[in-house]
Amino acid sequence: MNRRRKQSEKEDLYRTDFHRLSSYPTYRDTNDKTMLSQGDLIKVTIGNMDENGRGLALYKNYKVFVKGEVYPGDKVNVRIESIKGNTIIGTVEQVEERNS
């Protein structure tokens, strides 16, 4: 049975996220990844908070979950506790600049 769709129900081909629907893998720039290990100190800016109250930040190609008293916009030094894939979990070592 051929059912006709309204114009609003049709997919707009120019708005479709082809990369998300692609069967080909997405390649990341591996030149930007530095060798990090447990105990290293990195400097990040907190972008948001997660549901557990941890700060979220980005460092190179890593997602960073920061434990401690941080708020969005804070610039902090983070001590790395663990690295799993492209996710880093760390604690606040020092707050360099508070978001006012």
Side-chain angles (χ1 to χ4, degrees):
M1 176 168 16
N2 228 354
R3 188 183 135 205
R4 298 187 79 179
R5 293 187 195 180
K6 294 179 187 176
Q7 182 65 25
S8 62
E9 292 179 353
K10 289 184 181 177
E11 275 190 338
D12 186 359
L13 294 179
Y14 297 104
R15 292 186 181 192
T16 303
D17 186 2
F18 287 107
H19 299 289
R20 184 177 57 85
L21 301 174
S22 175
S23 61
Y24 296 103
T26 304
Y27 295 102
R28 292 190 177 147
D29 183 16
T30 56
N31 296 335
D32 203 19
K33 274 198 171 182
T34 56
M35 294 301 292
L36 294 174
S37 61
Q38 185 177 1
D40 286 350
L41 193 65
I42 58 174
K43 181 188 262 187
V44 297
T45 301
I46 305 299
N48 210 343
M49 304 294 284
D50 73 352
E51 62 275 0
N52 297 326
R54 298 181 295 185
L56 293 173
L58 292 175
Y59 181 79
K60 310 268 182 176
N61 287 333
Y62 294 96
K63 285 188 283 186
V64 183
F65 291 94
V66 181
K67 298 177 188 175
E69 189 177 333
V70 293
Y71 302 100
D74 291 352
K75 294 181 181 177
V76 295
N77 292 330
V78 176
R79 181 75 59 189
I80 297 175
E81 289 181 1
S82 66
I83 301 173
K84 295 177 184 171
N86 66 340
T87 303
I88 295 174
I89 298 175
T91 56
V92 175
E93 187 78 17
Q94 177 186 4
V95 177
E96 296 228 344
E97 184 180 322
R98 280 276 181 212
N99 184 17
S100 304

